[in-house]
């Protein structure tokens, strides 16, 4: 028998935010039953933020706030389940949800008694979001005639123990995914898994980083050699820029893996930056689709993008960036000096996005985070160090950048009044990246969008 290739469908937070959304998701899955779907769901919209706020309150010893926040979450999940399920089923299922919320409350009481929140307990609290949503979605699907089975992701997605941004261990994960999911799919079941969560080899709950359910879907898709991976969200696809900043952003019909990966890395939140790597390795097409408008064909992301007459496919912006300037006259280009600098970043586990160097200094950008003061203290042993937050990276992406001349001049001539702190072009040959003040992002994006996305190739853009 030739091996079948399943379809992985991931529903983001807004696509499971309430009973109506989950009902819509059930309809979408029903249409694809013949393609053997495996469903990955996020926590209901905003639940992860709320769980983390709850954990922080408990960590600060504020037990009553923590329990109050948890009560609101309990209410919301009960309401959604109640609306989705008939009274008989809901009564049975209610006690399961109740047990989960009771154990969440017990955990919160424990954290507030100790008054300390570790990465490990943070992950444990956060995991309730996807755990609960996957249970509710499974019940709702079953009540709508889908042969759905909940699969606990912690039994399949094996990670290291870097809590809050754990790294998947692919060999073991793939083995467990095949063992658990293949027999279910073969028997006509639709497995429903929570995204974002996993567990270490010894079974300790972990999470793989904010927005990580997209990545979970890609891990499952690559592990099972899926036919495609569908990311169902609240917009019509990958757009020419964030539609929240520019309401006239247009849908991109098709984009290459390389272009989409750059956009995701530099801030297009619609796709988690780690999502595409597993898909690229297995050459699995990824689609971005709108669960509120399932008739729209969305965006197809695949190995090769067809020719396009526009210079750029899209503009992304990544906020909450800090620039670190390291000045070391004479020493900088000395053998081993840059290595010493990068070693310090490595020790503090801080990832660098953009780099620019001169003879006497190097500037780097990092995501703003609490490790920066300690890192800067370490770097100060080597050189003079300054750091400056509230910056943003703007990134223009397009395969045509390889060929088009004078494009940088056109871009910067539109921004004569904007302070540009760093510029980078060439690393991937398909992006032009620069760093500005965070407050300038909306104006800069709108100006660039108006100019470069006025006359669009209808083959590529909607
Ligand atoms: P989900 O909860 O489904 O994972 P996200 O909120 O993580 O959804 O991602 C979808 C959001 O990404 C959109 O609502 C939109 O505001 C934002 N976004 C940013 N850049 C883009 C872009 N280039 N194309 C589409 N959406 C984008
Ligand atoms: N629920 C997680 C988050 O909000 C993961 C996801 O939605 O992708 O970060
Ligand atoms: Mg997301």
């Amino acid at each position: 028998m030739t091996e079948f290739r399943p379809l992985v469908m991931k529903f983001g937070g807004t696509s499971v935010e309430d009973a109506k959304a989950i009902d819509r998701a059930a309809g979408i899955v029903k249409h694809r039953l013949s393609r053997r779907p495996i469903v990955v769901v996020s926590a209901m919209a905003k639940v992860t933020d709320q769980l983390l706020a709850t954990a922080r309150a408990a960590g600060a010893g504020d037990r009553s706030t923590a329990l109050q926040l948890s009560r609101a979450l309990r209410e919301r999940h009960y309401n959604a389940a109640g609306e989705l399920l008939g009274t008989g089923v809901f009564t049975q299922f209610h006690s399961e949800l109740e047990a989960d919320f009771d154990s969440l409350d017990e955990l919160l009481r424990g954290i507030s008694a100790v008054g300390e929140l570790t990465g490990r307990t943070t992950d444990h609290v956060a995991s309730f979001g996807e755990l609960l949503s996957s249970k509710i979605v499974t019940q709702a699907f079953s009540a709508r005639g889908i042969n759905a089975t909940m699969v606990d992701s912690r039994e399949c997605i094996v990670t290291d123990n870097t809590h809050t941004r754990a790294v998947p261990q692919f060999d073991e994960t793939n083995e467990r995914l095949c063992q658990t999911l293949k027999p279910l799919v073969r028997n006509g079941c639709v497995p429903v898994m929570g995204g974002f969560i996993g567990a270490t080899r010894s079974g300790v709950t972990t999470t793989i980083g904010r927005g990580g359910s997209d990545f979970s879907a890609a891990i499952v898709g690559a592990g099972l050699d899926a036919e495609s991976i569908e990311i169902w969200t609240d917009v019509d696809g990958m757009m020419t820029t964030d539609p929240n900043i520019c309401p006239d952003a247009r849908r991109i019909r098709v984009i290459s893996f390389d272009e989409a990966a750059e956009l995701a890395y530099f801030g297009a939140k619609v796709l988690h930056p780690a999502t595409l790597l597993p898909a690229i390795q297995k050459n699995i097409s990824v689609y971005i689709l709108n669960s509120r408008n399932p008739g729209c064909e969305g965006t197809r992301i695949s190995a090769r993008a067809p020719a396009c007459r526009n210079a750029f496919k899209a503009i992304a912006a990544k906020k909450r960036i800090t620039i670190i300037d390291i000045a070391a006259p004479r020493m900088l280009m000395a053998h081993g000096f840059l290595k010493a600098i990068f070693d310090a970043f490595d020790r503090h586990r801080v990832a660098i996005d953009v780099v620019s160097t001169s003879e006497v200094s190097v500037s780097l950008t990092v995501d703003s985070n609490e490790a920066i003061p300690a890192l800067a203290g370490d770097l100060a042993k080597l050189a003079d160090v300054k750091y400056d937050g509230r910056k943003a990276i703007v990134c223009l992406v397009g395969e045509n950048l390889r060929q088009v001349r004078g494009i940088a001049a056109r871009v910067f001539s539109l921004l004569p009044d904007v302070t540009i702190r760093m510029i980078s072009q060439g690393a991937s040959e398909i992006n032009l990246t620069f760093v500005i003040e965070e407050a300038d992002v909306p104006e800069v994006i709108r100006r660039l969008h108006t100019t470069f996305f006025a006359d669009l190739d209808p083959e590529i853009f909607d």
Side-chain angles (χ1 to χ4, degrees):
M1 191 177 92
T2 54
E3 195 55 288
F4 61 86
R5 298 181 73 186
L7 167 70
V8 174
M9 305 175 72
K10 176 258 170 176
F11 291 89
T14 42
S15 303
V16 293
E17 66 185 347
D18 54 19
K20 221 186 247 161
I22 294 173
D23 186 53
R24 258 192 319 258
I28 293 169
V29 171
K30 264 188 161 177
H31 263 99
R32 284 160 158 75
L33 284 178
S34 63
R35 290 167 68 187
R36 305 190 188 240
I38 295 170
V39 173
V40 176
V41 293
S42 288
M44 294 165 79
K46 303 210 168 70
V47 164
T48 308
D49 286 336
Q50 288 157 359
L51 282 166
L52 292 174
T54 309
R56 277 193 302 272
D62 187 353
R63 190 177 111 153
S64 68
T65 302
L67 291 176
Q68 198 182 324
L69 289 168
S70 152
R71 234 182 338 267
L73 284 167
R74 189 189 284 254
E75 217 39 23
R76 178 166 166 209
H77 286 81
Y78 285 179
N79 285 344
E83 224 179 291
L84 284 161
L85 307 171
T87 329
V89 181
F90 181 58
T91 315
Q92 264 180 10
F93 180 50
H94 184 268
S95 54
E96 196 179 326
L97 289 183
E98 198 162 43
D100 284 334
F101 276 106
D102 289 350
S103 66
L104 172 63
D105 286 352
E106 200 179 308
L107 180 61
L108 293 171
R109 283 191 198 96
I111 296 170
S112 26
V114 182
E116 189 197 7
L117 184 66
T118 61
R120 180 172 167 156
T121 40
T122 302
D123 276 352
H124 196 165
V125 173
S127 71
F128 278 87
E130 270 70 9
L131 205 67
L132 291 157
S133 66
S134 57
K135 284 186 180 178
I136 295 175
V137 166
T138 306
Q139 290 292 333
F141 280 13
S142 303
R144 283 155 184 73
I146 300 171
N147 185 9
T149 308
M150 188 215 154
V151 172
D152 189 336
S153 300
R154 294 171 298 184
E155 278 156 27
C156 300
I157 310 285
V158 184
T159 72
D160 70 1
N161 64 357
T162 319
H163 284 285
T164 73
R165 48 194 166 128
V167 180
Q169 308 296 295
F170 283 96
D171 289 343
E172 253 179 283
T173 298
N174 291 343
E175 211 177 292
R176 293 206 202 174
L177 284 169
C178 287
Q179 266 172 15
T180 314
L181 297 180
K182 275 193 175 166
L184 291 173
V185 178
R186 204 175 284 130
N187 288 330
C189 271
V190 176
V192 178
M193 310 171 65
F196 181 53
I197 59 179
T200 62
R201 213 160 276 145
S202 50
V204 177
T205 301
T206 55
T207 63
I208 59 173
R210 293 305 309 273
S213 293
D214 299 337
F215 187 25
S216 301
I219 296 168
V220 174
L224 296 182
D225 202 12
E227 157 232 315
S228 345
I229 299 164
E230 295 182 342
I231 306 289
W232 289 88
T233 184
D234 60 354
V235 282
D236 274 348
M238 202 165 231
M239 317 287 280
T240 47
T241 193
D242 186 345
N244 279 328
I245 297 180
C246 235
D248 51 354
R250 303 262 297 271
R251 174 170 64 93
I252 308 168
R253 293 176 198 275
V254 51
I255 190 166
S256 70
F257 277 133
D258 292 346
E259 291 168 323
E262 294 283 351
L263 288 168
Y265 188 74
F266 287 114
K269 183 184 169 223
V270 67
L271 202 61
H272 183 276
T275 312
L276 291 173
L277 197 60
I280 293 170
Q281 281 164 350
K282 289 280 183 81
N283 197 15
I284 302 170
S285 288
V286 177
Y287 294 81
I288 315 275
L289 297 151
N290 189 351
S291 66
R292 293 173 182 165
N293 184 18
C296 175
E297 64 185 10
T299 298
R300 179 165 61 85
I301 308 173
S302 57
R304 290 186 147 271
C308 168
R309 61 175 160 78
N310 294 91
F312 299 118
K313 289 277 171 53
I315 317 172
K318 183 172 172 183
K319 293 192 184 171
R320 296 195 70 244
I321 295 295
T322 296
I323 296 184
I324 304 184
D325 292 309
I326 304 164
R330 291 186 305 281
M331 276 170 68
L332 190 75
M333 292 308 154
H335 176 75
F337 190 72
L338 276 179
K339 178 176 184 307
I341 290 176
F342 285 125
D343 283 349
F345 280 82
D346 189 45
R347 274 196 303 282
H348 292 269
R349 307 185 87 153
V350 173
I352 299 164
D353 285 335
V354 183
V355 184
S356 77
T357 65
S358 77
E359 198 213 343
V360 292
S361 63
V362 54
S363 298
L364 310 117
T365 71
V366 300
D367 289 353
S368 303
N369 66 59
E370 59 280 5
I372 292 172
L375 166 68
D378 222 3
L379 289 167
K381 294 176 197 150
L382 305 168
D384 295 332
V385 179
K386 281 188 304 198
Y387 60 93
D388 194 7
R390 294 178 195 274
K391 303 288 173 281
I393 299 173
V394 173
C395 177
L396 290 136
V397 172
E399 297 268 4
N400 280 353
L401 266 183
R402 291 198 174 99
Q403 287 113 38
V404 185
R405 286 190 188 182
I407 199 76
R410 283 180 61 204
V411 168
F412 293 116
S413 70
L414 293 168
L415 311 173
D417 51 340
V418 175
T419 306
I420 315 268
R421 289 290 308 268
M422 288 168 70
I423 300 177
S424 148
Q425 192 192 347
S428 71
E429 293 189 2
I430 62 165
N431 75 8
L432 171 59
T433 302
F434 53 93
V435 182
I436 59 172
E437 296 296 325
E438 200 173 72
D440 291 336
V441 165
E443 173 62 23
V444 165
I445 295 272
R446 273 185 226 118
R447 260 191 235 172
L448 294 172
H449 195 269
T450 309
T451 302
F452 288 104
F453 295 86
D455 173 29
L456 293 176
D457 187 338
E459 293 285 316
I460 306 296
F461 301 92
D462 191 14

